[in-house]
Amino acid sequence: MSLLIASHLTVSHGIAPLVHDAGFSVGENDRIGLVGANGSGKSTLLAALAGRMEIDAGDLALRRGLTMGFSEQEVPDQLLGMTLRDALMDALPEAMRDSDAWKVDVALSSLGFPYEFHERLVSKLSGGWQRLVLIARAHLPEPDLLLLDEPTNHLDLAKILHLERWLEDEVRGPLIMVSHDREVLDRCTTRTMFLRDAVLHDFPGNYTRARQLLVERDLSAAKAREAEESEIKRLARSAKRLALWGKVFDNEKFSKRARSMEMRIEKKKADVTYVAPEDRRKLALADGDSQANILLRCNNCEISAPNGDRLFGIERLALARGDRAVILGVNGSGKSTYLKRLMVEYENHGDRIAEKAEVYFNPQVLAGYFDQDLSRLPDDQPMFRFFATRFPVPDLRVRSELVHAGFPHTNQTRKIGTLSGGERARLLFLLLKFEQPNVLILDEPTNHLDVDGRERLEDAILTRELTCVMVSHDRRFVDGVANRFFIIERGRLIETDSADPFYDLLLED
């Protein structure tokens, strides 16, 4: 039985529709992943289904008495002054708060909230814990349909793994989830809807299976379109020839056939198979040349927090050309601190001797740094001026590269600080392309990227066989790119054969 049925649904934000003429239904057993590029309208559609936004056209029929739980991306202001426990109690119907208070305790436990957090103000929790508060609130009333908008945003890997297990074990009913995390989508959904160019494409299966079906359909559509356009050209040549004969021989029969054929051509043009336009945004990286084999060494290196507390030690690490090393560790173990230390050593100690230095970069190394805070980009500078004044390249190339990164000419005077997180991430990757490093130091590079962006980044790294040291909570990215794995464990950095032991360790905690 269907919980909701959408017919010819159109939802806009501003002038242009984000969802146009969509038709779909949600059944009692559906677990749906909603996937699309940043800004494509996924969150808008989810809010419209939840009744938070008006529908511009079409119908949305809900089953009588249907209840929905909606986990938005931002914490409402009224929750910030509440304690964690009170914020969850507030999600229960007032008449049931006494009898169902135990459900709050179960939710707190199953989502991994430490006991000492229960009386802490929501405003004092980290972004990751706040996200789990919103998810718990949406699920507590046991709605008929759960709507989750980017549930893994701001979560570290441990929280993502626990949330994934919670979604599999605790959330038995139907759900619709907007997410860029391919691993979570594959494990927690059985149907996928792609929102692309305001058109909704619906496929059975989890993300990986549905993506394959989408690609196959795109290829089939492109082949059909090519055949249709070839036929239209053939008919156009015939119509032109008949029209010429009718004029030369003053033969109305030829002219009439030509007009009839032109009408057929117009009808065929109107009925050609739709082919999705190519996403012209590029995420390209350029690598500088290096003939050296070993590019980075760490010997008896101590990594400390800003306050001086020891985090972990590295007895020996050697990064060779083509190595793609991932640093794994629990939240707060010092992963990002280590990457920052590498950059400090690279910038300040280029003349160190390999045998004596804790951190040594080969003189041939050109390091490129992607920081998760995107702080390498100045907020107060227009994007075109930033690149044009930083690199000795023609203005035309700067403008062309910005266009390929997804920034049309009309937007290139915008200040960097006004861009979204996804736009700034693309800009930082463009900066790396201009810098042409031969060693990439990547701190959570997928945080602000949509699914397509993550797959383009993986392809760029693997195709060019780039050398990297990276930190990431995106398991699909790590498993697809890394060929060396290091775990911060008991105050030491230890190399292992894969990331699986670390994932297992997080789930045991």
Side-chain angles (χ1 to χ4, degrees), residues 336-410:
S336 294
T337 302
Y338 172 54
L339 298 191
K340 291 176 183 177
R341 169 77 182 277
L342 290 181
M343 284 307 298
V344 169
E345 298 288 352
Y346 168 74
E347 292 169 352
N348 298 331
H349 301 290
D351 58 347
R352 285 193 166 187
I353 300 173
E355 291 78 9
K356 297 181 179 180
E358 287 188 3
V359 178
Y360 170 78
F361 283 93
N362 189 289
Q364 295 185 26
V365 165
L366 295 172
Y369 181 39
F370 184 104
D371 65 307
Q372 63 173 299
D373 298 324
L374 309 176
S375 61
R376 295 192 62 204
L377 299 170
D379 289 345
D380 59 343
Q381 283 198 39
M383 64 181 90
F384 170 75
R385 184 191 302 168
F386 171 68
F387 286 97
T389 58
R390 189 180 180 97
F391 299 99
V393 297
D395 288 357
L396 186 61
R397 186 196 163 192
V398 173
R399 294 196 182 280
S400 175
E401 293 286 1
L402 285 168
V403 167
H404 288 151
F407 302 99
H409 291 284
T410 53

Side-chain angles (χ1 to χ4, degrees), residues 335-337 339-340 369-373 441-447 469-472:
K335 305 183 297 295
S336 294
T337 302
L339 298 191
K340 291 176 183 177
Y369 181 39
F370 184 104
D371 65 307
Q372 63 173 299
D373 298 324
I441 299 175
L442 306 175
D443 191 4
E444 299 291 2
T446 66
N447 266 6
V469 183
M470 68 192 89
V471 168
S472 178

Side-chain angles (χ1 to χ4, degrees), residues 276-282:
E278 180 185 359
D279 187 346
R280 297 187 180 278
R281 296 176 304 167
K282 303 299 182 185

Side-chain angles (χ1 to χ4, degrees), residues 201-488:
H201 307 268
D202 197 348
F203 294 94
N206 60 17
Y207 169 77
T208 297
R209 174 57 180 154
R211 181 60 182 267
Q212 180 182 353
L213 293 173
L214 178 65
V215 170
E216 290 173 357
R217 196 178 75 177
D218 283 348
L219 291 173
S220 177
K223 187 175 181 180
R225 178 69 170 267
E226 184 179 0
E228 291 162 357
E229 289 180 345
S230 178
E231 175 64 7
I232 288 171
K233 289 178 181 177
R234 186 190 68 79
L235 290 173
R237 289 194 297 268
S238 297
K240 185 177 181 180
R241 186 167 55 249
L242 286 169
L244 179 61
W245 290 351
K247 185 176 180 180
V248 170
F249 300 110
D250 193 21
N251 189 320
E252 180 59 24
K253 182 179 178 181
F254 286 145
S255 299
K256 187 175 180 180
R257 287 177 60 189
R259 289 192 294 270
S260 176
M261 194 168 289
E262 287 168 355
M263 291 176 64
R264 285 178 59 195
I265 291 170
E266 291 305 313
K267 188 176 185 305
K268 282 185 173 293
K269 285 182 177 179
D271 294 337
V272 292
T273 302
Y274 172 80
V275 176
E278 180 185 359
D279 187 346
R280 297 187 180 278
R281 296 176 304 167
K282 303 299 182 185
L283 200 160
L285 295 170
D287 57 323
D289 293 330
S290 172
Q291 301 304 315
N293 184 31
I294 300 300
L295 303 178
L296 166 67
R297 293 184 189 274
C298 294
N299 297 306
N300 298 317
C301 178
E302 294 290 319
I303 305 302
S304 301
N307 63 3
D309 291 345
R310 182 183 185 275
L311 295 171
F312 65 94
I314 304 171
E315 184 175 330
R316 184 173 180 82
L317 182 153
L319 189 73
R321 187 174 51 190
D323 282 348
R324 299 180 297 277
V326 62
I327 311 299
L328 302 163
V330 299
N331 196 32
S333 60
K335 305 183 297 295
S336 294
T337 302
Y338 172 54
L339 298 191
K340 291 176 183 177
R341 169 77 182 277
L342 290 181
M343 284 307 298
V344 169
E345 298 288 352
Y346 168 74
E347 292 169 352
N348 298 331
H349 301 290
D351 58 347
R352 285 193 166 187
I353 300 173
E355 291 78 9
K356 297 181 179 180
E358 287 188 3
V359 178
Y360 170 78
F361 283 93
N362 189 289
Q364 295 185 26
V365 165
L366 295 172
Y369 181 39
F370 184 104
D371 65 307
Q372 63 173 299
D373 298 324
L374 309 176
S375 61
R376 295 192 62 204
L377 299 170
D379 289 345
D380 59 343
Q381 283 198 39
M383 64 181 90
F384 170 75
R385 184 191 302 168
F386 171 68
F387 286 97
T389 58
R390 189 180 180 97
F391 299 99
V393 297
D395 288 357
L396 186 61
R397 186 196 163 192
V398 173
R399 294 196 182 280
S400 175
E401 293 286 1
L402 285 168
V403 167
H404 288 151
F407 302 99
H409 291 284
T410 53
N411 289 346
Q412 293 179 10
T413 56
R414 284 180 60 188
K415 289 188 176 180
I416 293 173
T418 67
L419 303 178
S420 68
E423 289 171 327
R424 293 174 66 200
R426 295 205 308 272
L427 211 60
L428 185 48
F429 280 115
L430 181 57
L431 175 60
L432 292 178
K433 180 180 181 181
F434 274 110
E435 290 176 337
Q436 293 187 303
N438 50 30
V439 173
L440 289 171
I441 299 175
L442 306 175
D443 191 4
E444 299 291 2
T446 66
N447 266 6
H448 300 283
L449 298 180
D450 54 35
V451 171
D452 285 345
R454 296 177 188 210
E455 292 178 347
R456 288 192 189 99
L457 176 60
E458 292 169 10
D459 185 63
I461 291 173
L462 294 173
T463 300
R464 305 188 70 85
E465 298 183 342
L466 301 178
T467 304
C468 312
V469 183
M470 68 192 89
V471 168
S472 178
H473 63 246
D474 186 327
R475 285 165 292 165
R476 188 65 58 87
F477 174 75
V478 167
D479 295 342
V481 169
N483 58 13
R484 295 184 68 186
F485 304 86
F486 295 86
I487 301 176
I488 300 171

Side-chain angles (χ1 to χ4, degrees), residues 146-162:
L146 185 62
L147 307 176
L148 302 176
D149 192 2
E150 296 286 6
T152 63
N153 269 14
H154 307 298
L155 302 190
D156 60 31
L157 186 52
K159 291 187 181 69
I160 291 175
L161 287 167
H162 281 88

